[in-house]
Amino acid sequence: MKKFLSLAAVGLFFFNVANAGSITVANSDIELFGGVSAGYFYTTNPCDSGCADPNNDYFTVSSFAVGLTSKVNSTIGFTASFGSSPQSDLLGLETSKSFEPEFAYVSINPVEGLTLDAGLLTTNVGYELYHTWENPNYTFGMVWWGQPVTYPGARATYNVAEGIDVYAEYNHDAGEAFAIGSLGSIAGFDYAISYYDYSAQKNLVDLVLSTNIAGIDVALNVDYQWLDDSAKTSGQDDSAYGVALYILPKLTDTISLPIRLEYVDEGTSEIYGVAGDSAWSVTITPTWSPTSNAYLRAEVAYVATDEKGFYDGPTAADADDNRTFVGVEAGFRF
């Protein structure tokens, strides 16, 4: 009986999704979202320290997640995503990540214009989003690597004017942290500006600007970070900055050519975790999108540091100061 009920529930679930795009539970609309992406990837110098058996290529499910969101009424709702998204980045390549809650929070609107979110939050810092299919490039960048991603906490957001919000949050991201900032649109620019303070660790000022220039979407993400006194090391630098430029031309209705250019300079602070004082990267991702919710893309990325920190073997002789990344990924989102 239990198996029959489970199969019946699954069948009803997919019937509702396919025919209505939502599920109705207790007279409340619950919307389904998520996606899946997978591909084949190859990199030179795949290790970040000496390794006896480097794995230069691999097949992977780069993201799989199913989420639900609902505005139960005008006062309360929720958003939750459950899945596995390893978030491969240029510095560390793919990280293992178990199938688990990715983010989940309850939203309350006690008065008009004010939203209170509490739970496992997604950050407001940075341009790149949580899942690979949400970003123009498959790999996550060096600037993204130095930013917060998700954390347990609470956030208050207030709409101060049409298209302009301000927010403040308190969270437990690797210890206590808090943030303040603003998001919105002004004079043809979408913007997000944040100050993020990791208690007794470091501080981060983040700016994201995006607009359309001559029919081409363009975005800029700039970070400046500095260490708290308790985290400083005598004789080492205590600040760093990173810049990421995203150029997103559409060649046709279905073909685009996203480009990401990055530069980070950390001196000896080790804030971004690059080998040496600085690094730069370029990522090109030709993408075919036959429908609005499906894509096939290739990617070529190159990252270079001013000291040797990428390995293709167990000894210092196998170290290099650059890494080339090549891959093909297909994705579907709903």
Side-chain angles (χ1 to χ4, degrees), residues 58-136:
Y58 58 94
F59 291 92
T60 186
V61 176
S62 46
S63 285
F64 173 64
V66 176
L68 298 172
T69 185
S70 174
K71 190 168 186 179
V72 178
N73 52 46
S74 60
T75 303
I76 189 169
F78 74 90
T79 299
S81 177
F82 192 82
S84 177
S85 300
Q87 297 169 325
S88 300
D89 70 89
L90 294 176
L91 294 177
L93 294 182
E94 186 174 75
T95 58
S96 60
K97 187 166 288 190
S98 59
F99 203 76
E100 61 188 1
E102 298 178 328
F103 49 87
Y105 52 89
V106 175
S107 299
I108 301 173
N109 303 103
V111 297
E112 184 176 358
L114 176 64
T115 301
L116 304 177
D117 298 316
L120 183 59
L121 305 176
T122 55
T123 187
N124 281 339
V125 174
Y127 178 78
E128 298 179 30
L129 301 177
Y130 191 90
H131 300 110
T132 181
W133 63 74
E134 297 175 298
N135 295 314

Side-chain angles (χ1 to χ4, degrees), residues 12 45 51 53 68 112 123 126 133 156 183 260 269 292 298 320 332:
L12 179 61
N45 306 315
C51 56
D53 186 20
L68 298 172
E112 184 176 358
T123 187
W133 63 74
L183 307 92
R260 178 181 61 207
S269 68
S292 61
D320 210 336
F332 177 84

Side-chain angles (χ1 to χ4, degrees), residues 160-213:
V160 296
E162 183 177 357
I164 298 178
D165 294 337
V166 295
Y167 75 91
E169 71 177 46
Y170 169 76
N171 65 65
H172 286 177
D173 180 16
E176 294 183 346
F178 73 88
I180 57 174
S182 178
L183 307 92
S185 300
I186 297 178
F189 285 87
D190 294 331
Y191 76 90
I193 184 168
S194 306
Y195 168 71
Y196 195 96
D197 188 320
Y198 298 84
S199 178
Q201 296 183 48
K202 66 176 183 177
N203 309 274
L204 164 64
V205 172
D206 173 78
L207 174 65
V208 178
L209 293 173
S210 59
T211 190
N212 185 283
I213 301 175

